[in-house]
Amino acid sequence: DVKVTQSSRYLVKRTGEKVFLECVQDMDHENMFWYRQDPGLGLRLIYFSYDVKMKEKGDIPEGYSVSREKKERFSLILESASTNQTSMYLCASSLIPGNEQFFGPGTRLTVL
Amino acid sequence: AQSVTQLDSQVPVFEEAPVELRCNYSSSVSVYLFWYVQYPNQGLQLLLKYLSGSTLVKGINGFEAEFNKSQTSFHLRKPSVHISDTAEYFCAVIPGGSYIPTFGRGTSLIVHP
């Protein structure tokens, strides 16, 4: 069964901290994605990656960066966390263009 | 740019009643269409997808959706809902040749006993 895992389900951080969110997929997928989900706004794409060491900005990349050193792992980095980054963060992967995405369980991040 | 509109933010229904969740998209080019479900405190999981072929698509848990190209719609239906169907439902569209979906804002289905 396909699987996308995220390092934490819940995370509480302080303003100004550097935060790492990790995502691992075991499906050998080329494409990986980071979204944030906020009530009433749906899913908004932060960054995506279509290959190792490749990354592209999504719709809301400000305040975030990503790293993909290995095919199965895609990390989201909040360089200096702020309270407006309190949100649910979802990682996803997909195999080919036009195919469905497989999602992790999400990390609910609270920045105090 | 592609846009996806889920016309209802919340749909309350009674158990065993039929339900329709509406989704319209903007693109007139070929598209791939998806419905995902998100149960509380979980990630999204695929309900069904339309890539090509028959416009009536059947998915898991008794859900189905109909692709209407002329109306650029992909409405989700279930003839009889259960309490366990209470969840958030997202419509997503991928333009042909792309792998970046655009998601709707979601519809919260609330099933009352």
Side-chain angles (χ1 to χ4, degrees), chain A residues 9-10 31 33 35 37 40-43 45 48 50 90 96-101 103-105 108, chain B residues 32 34 36 38 41-46 49 51 88 90 94 97-101 103-106:
Chain A
R9 292 300 305 272
Y10 299 93
N31 311 305
F33 307 79
Y35 295 92
Q37 181 182 13
L41 298 179
L43 276 69
L45 183 63
F48 64 97
Y50 51 89
L90 293 167
I96 56 175
N99 214 331
E100 73 260 32
Q101 294 187 320
F103 284 83
R108 188 167 293 281
Chain B
Y32 305 122
F34 306 84
Y36 290 87
Q38 184 181 34
N41 294 316
Q42 294 186 27
L44 279 68
Q45 59 184 186
L46 184 70
K49 62 183 177 184
L51 302 182
E88 192 84 13
F90 291 93
I94 301 179
S98 172
Y99 49 84
I100 308 298
F103 285 86
R105 294 192 174 194

Side-chain angles (χ1 to χ4, degrees), chain B residues 9-83:
Chain B
S9 59
Q10 216 173 67
V11 174
V13 294
F14 287 107
E15 196 173 19
E16 298 183 8
V19 71
E20 179 180 79
L21 307 184
R22 296 178 292 170
C23 174
N24 286 87
Y25 60 95
S26 62
S27 175
S28 59
V29 300
S30 67
V31 292
Y32 305 122
L33 299 159
F34 306 84
W35 275 99
Y36 290 87
V37 61
Q38 184 181 34
Y39 298 105
N41 294 316
Q42 294 186 27
L44 279 68
Q45 59 184 186
L46 184 70
L47 263 182
L48 48 79
K49 62 183 177 184
Y50 171 81
L51 302 182
S52 64
S54 172
T55 56
L56 184 62
V57 180
K58 294 193 183 296
I60 62 171
N61 300 340
F63 283 93
E64 63 182 31
E66 185 152 23
F67 168 53
N68 188 320
K69 187 175 182 180
S70 63
Q71 300 198 359
T72 59
S73 68
F74 191 53
H75 300 332
L76 181 70
R77 300 186 185 102
K78 186 169 182 177
S80 175
V81 294
H82 302 126
I83 296 284

Side-chain angles (χ1 to χ4, degrees), chain A residues 9-10 12 15 17-18 20-21 23 26-28 31 37 43 55-56 59 68 72-73 92-93 97 101 103 107 109-110:
Chain A
R9 292 300 305 272
Y10 299 93
V12 179
T15 302
E17 279 193 82
K18 190 168 186 176
F20 293 87
L21 303 183
C23 175
D26 65 358
M27 297 164 283
D28 202 35
N31 311 305
Q37 181 182 13
L43 276 69
K55 60 186 179 185
E56 293 285 344
D59 300 320
R68 193 163 179 204
E72 67 271 17
R73 187 180 298 270
S93 71
Q101 294 187 320
F103 284 83
T107 296
L109 173 68
T110 301

